[in-house]
Amino acid sequence: QSVLTQPPSVSGAPGQRVTISCTGSSSNIGAGYDVHWYQQLPGTAPKLLIYYNNNRPSGVPDRFSGSKSGTSASLAITGLQAEDEADYYCQSYDSSLSGSVFGGGTKLTVL
Amino acid sequence: EVQLVESGGGLVQPGGSLRLSCAASGFTFSSYEMNWVRQAPGKGLEWVSYISSSGSTIYYADSVKGRFSISRDNAKNSLYLQMNSLRAEDTAVYYCARAGILQSLDYWGQGTLVTVSS
């Protein structure tokens, strides 16, 4: 299982708001390491969606936002659109492993 | 435009070796840390290895430590992953990814598929 825990799936209707959680521990998110989020559309490479907990790279719509508190982080998507249907992954650094760690991924279905 | 292009994937027998390459362009390669990340078929992302901009600092996931070796040639704008003693569980698409702000992976290649099977 992954070091960071995400729900396997979430869903929502167009226009709705969904959140994806990412739960870590005292050796990664809880130790203060930053969380980044990636979107992976079917058949494509992952794309950076949120960096440094709550910052969007150029070109990412402001419908996407991130937050972090304690040993967890969350990705929120508002105004859900059909094109948001994808897999989403959180990433952080783990001091006990001396390397990056990913969540298991969450499949977002737009109903 | 930043581009990362992986190559070298293919079918290899268990216990065999393979060397992956990642050709970088559109940025000053020697200034950036780099990573390899893999994704087994139908599974999630798994970080594999990290190398600093100069190549002096290297880290590996426990799952590949002692079998895989990351390196870079800044003069050739290239990143490499030497994979030895390959196992069936190493079957995956391997991505090279540039490390951006605070180790976020801001650019990814298209990936190269490695299949370990007899």
Side-chain angles (χ1 to χ4, degrees), chain B residues 50-98:
Chain B
Y50 156 94
I51 187 168
S52 63
S53 57
S54 67
S56 60
T57 301
I58 286 172
Y59 298 113
Y60 298 99
D62 287 343
S63 58
V64 307
K65 204 171 292 183
R67 300 187 300 122
F68 289 12
S69 176
I70 190 172
S71 63
R72 64 190 297 161
D73 186 336
N74 287 342
K76 294 184 177 179
N77 292 334
S78 292
L79 176 72
Y80 305 102
L81 186 68
Q82 177 66 44
M83 304 186 296
N84 299 328
S85 303
L86 283 161
R87 307 165 180 166
E89 54 265 36
D90 295 319
T91 294
V93 173
Y94 285 74
Y95 297 100
C96 67
R98 190 181 83 168

Side-chain angles (χ1 to χ4, degrees), chain A residues 11-79:
Chain A
S11 62
Q16 284 189 333
R17 178 182 186 267
V18 297
T19 61
I20 298 173
S21 61
C22 174
T23 303
S25 67
S26 58
S27 61
N28 41 70
I29 300 175
Y33 294 107
D34 301 295
V35 178
H36 316 295
W37 291 90
Y38 302 86
Q39 178 192 59
Q40 187 176 33
L41 297 170
T44 69
K47 166 192 162 187
L48 180 63
L49 194 65
I50 296 287
Y51 66 93
Y52 189 23
N53 306 317
N54 57 9
N55 293 270
R56 289 184 308 277
S58 174
V60 173
D62 59 7
R63 301 186 296 105
F64 295 90
S65 63
S67 64
K68 175 191 158 188
S69 178
T71 59
S72 296
S74 289
L75 172 70
I77 310 171
T78 59

